[in-house]
Every structure is written in structure tokens, then in C-alpha cells.
Amino acid sequence: MLKNRSENLVLIFYGITMMAMLSFMYYTFPSLNYIRYSYVALMIVLMFMRKKIYRNIRINSIVFLFLIHTVLFGYVIIPATVSNSVVHENSKEFLIFWFFVFTTVQYITNKNIEKKFLLISQFCISLFVNYCYIKNFNGLAPLRYIGSIFNVGNRVRFSFGLSAPNQMAYLSVASIIMILIVLKTLPQKRKNIYTLYLYLSLIIDILVILSTQTRGAIFSIVLYMIFDRMLYSQKLNKNIQRGRIKQIWIPIVVIAGIFSFLYLFYVLEASSRSYLLSLSLEAYKKLANPLFGLGYVNYWAFLNDAFYWGTSALDCYYVYIICTTGIIGALLALGPLIYMAIYYIKAYFSGYVDEMSRKYIIVYFVTLYIGFSETTVVGPWLPYNYVFWVLFLLSFVKIEKCKTLMRKEKLIKLSRVHG
């Protein structure tokens, strides 16, 4: 009883922390942002008090490489092109991010509370989106201006109280994805109670995305739903079992090609992104050491032209990492992302993924896709990123458990045959 009570208190504190981070996006009170520090401190204490750390070499290696990247470019290598204090502040946020993610994964794994974590995360994110929408209600605007979403010219965009429409759009994307995942985990007896709220939240999320007119967000949701549908296809699963790789890769390549075109035309060329990215790359070429970059600053530094080069918004995670930490930093940061992608693909085609792991893998690849138009692949300034990275690392735990279970089943079958 006491054990469950302490577990519930930790989950409540997690929910408070998540709501505080979300609220900080709207109200920007420093005290809201500082609650994360208390949460991380608590989780570190709990991890060491338990004296049992779940040792997964893949999880540890990924987190370790990102921490090395943060420490190296946040405290060891700081180019003269940028202020030390700005780099230190940004690096501190990334350190908090990784300790938050790692300790939360440890706690969830040890306590086996993945479903509770999902439900609390989804509730907080969806509730915050609902609050922003109701507080900044824009009537029939989503339908009135829907025709201008894919115009090359100006769009009518709403931010619902946040600093930018895109922030709100991708927050709604996270809410939609979390709702779709939670709908698969709710016990049958609770579906009648909670499902109505989930579907109402879905409607609000869609209205918000249409109001922000963020094309990348629309493509991301469509991409998630296509792969979610495709990877659950019985025909696809039969092809995997029979080793028919061509029948699997052809539709994936076609879909990737279509969405690459949509990104290049509507997200990159139909906006000013290509020009703005070229400004940042030009600053990197002219001012920085190619190996170490301009300095590990927040992406806002490019918007505020901290380098006095005429830079503006840098809406691409991969260009951001290269510009800020150079070739060495890109290898350290992008290496784990590529490794994770390869590992997930191999695990899927080997049949080592369950229903939830499959969904987390889809979210991962959608996140990589969003990274071409936003700096959101790894971002401590976005609350839902904390949730997604916990799920990404949890998928390693689930895949390894699935591998172990399948090996035991094979051994049992062999023993029966030879017995």
C-alpha cells in the first residue's frame, strides 16, 4: 500500500511538472520553468535510493553520446563568435533534458508504469491545448481561411497565446499522437468515461492545426496515420514472415518520395525557409571553424541575429546542429539518431516489436521528418519532446524484452521437439 502511495505521489509530481512546463510556454513565469529542476533532483535521488539501475547498453550509449555532445560544446569548446553565458544556459537546458528523460525511463521500467505515464502525459498536453484554444477562441476562422493553407503567398495564422503558430501546431500534433496511442491502452471499462473527452480534444487539435496553417504539422499527422495503418497491415506482416522485402520497401519508398516532395515544395520552397537556412549556413561557412561550429546556442540566437550576420529563424534541426557544433558535433548528435533508426528497422523486420513499440517507432520517424522543418528532434524548450524521448528509450526496453521472450519460446519448442 505504501509502495503504491509513493508511486502515485511521484506520478502526481510528474504531472505537475509537465503542466508547469506547458504553462511556461504561455505565461513565461520563471518559477514555472524551475519546477523541472526539482523533479530531476527527485528522480536522481529515487534512482540511487533504489540501487538498481536498468542496464541497457543501447539506452546508456545514446544518452552518454548526447551528454558528451552537450558537455563538450557547452563547457569545453566555446568559439569566440558567441558569449559563454549564452552557450552555458543552452547547455544547462540540454543537461536537464537528458537527466529528466533517463531517470524517468529508469523509474517507469522499474515500476512498470508505462500506461500511467502515457495517460498523464496525454492528459496534460491535451488539456493545455484545450485551454489555449478556449482562452483564444477564434470562431469559424479555421474553416474561413482553410483555403489559404497551401497558398504560396500569405497565410492567416493564429498562435493561441504562444510565441509562434508553429509552436501551437506541433503541440497539437503531439496531442493527437498521444490521444491515438492512449485510445489503444485504455481499459474497456474506462472507455465510456474518458473516450468522449479524447475525441473532443482531437477535434480541438485539428481546429488548432488548421488555424495555425502549419503545413509541416498537417503532413506529419498524415504521415503518422499512413504508417500506423500500413505497419498494422496483415498483408505487410505476411510479407515480413515470408521474407518478401521488395513488397515491403516499395510502398515505403513511394510514401517517402511523396512526403519529401511535399516538404520541398510546400514547406521549404513555398515559404522563406530555404533563404533563411542559406543565411545561417553562410554564417557558419564564413565565421565558424567547420569542425566546431558557431557555438552551441539556442535556436533563438539565429532569429535574434546573435552573430551579426543577418541570420533569422533556423527551422531545421539538422542544419542547426551543424551550424552550432560543426562537423564533430553533427557526428556526435546525428550518429545516435541514425543508429536508432537502423535499430528500429531491424527490430521491426525481425518481429521483435509489440503494438506499443510499433507506435513509438512511428512517432520517432515522424519526429525525424519534422526535424527538416523545425528544431524539434531534441529540444528542451518543448515539453512534449520530453515525453517522446522517454517513449523512444522505453521502446528499447520493450524490444529487448520481446527478444528475450521469443528466444525462450524457441528454446521451449526445441526442447519439446528433441524431448
Side-chain angles (χ1 to χ4, degrees), residues 145-161:
Y145 300 111
I146 194 170
S148 65
I149 291 177
F150 294 101
N151 286 348
V152 176
N154 293 329
R155 290 169 285 168
V156 180
R157 312 186 70 186
F158 296 83
S159 61
F160 296 96

Side-chain angles (χ1 to χ4, degrees), residues 261-326:
F261 169 78
L262 291 172
Y263 167 77
L264 289 171
F265 183 76
Y266 283 112
V267 179
L268 194 62
E269 292 301 328
S271 66
S272 58
R273 270 188 175 84
S274 57
Y275 172 69
L276 299 179
L277 290 177
S278 68
L279 289 176
S280 297
L281 286 170
E282 193 64 25
Y284 165 71
K285 292 175 185 177
K286 298 294 184 180
L287 303 176
N289 181 323
L291 293 176
F292 306 121
L294 291 162
Y296 200 24
V297 295
N298 191 297
Y299 76 101
W300 281 101
F302 291 86
L303 181 62
N304 298 329
D305 193 20
F307 308 104
Y308 303 102
W309 189 261
T311 59
S312 187
L314 178 53
D315 292 329
C316 178
Y317 175 78
Y318 312 107
V319 175
Y320 163 76
I321 283 296
I322 293 171
C323 287
T324 54
T325 59

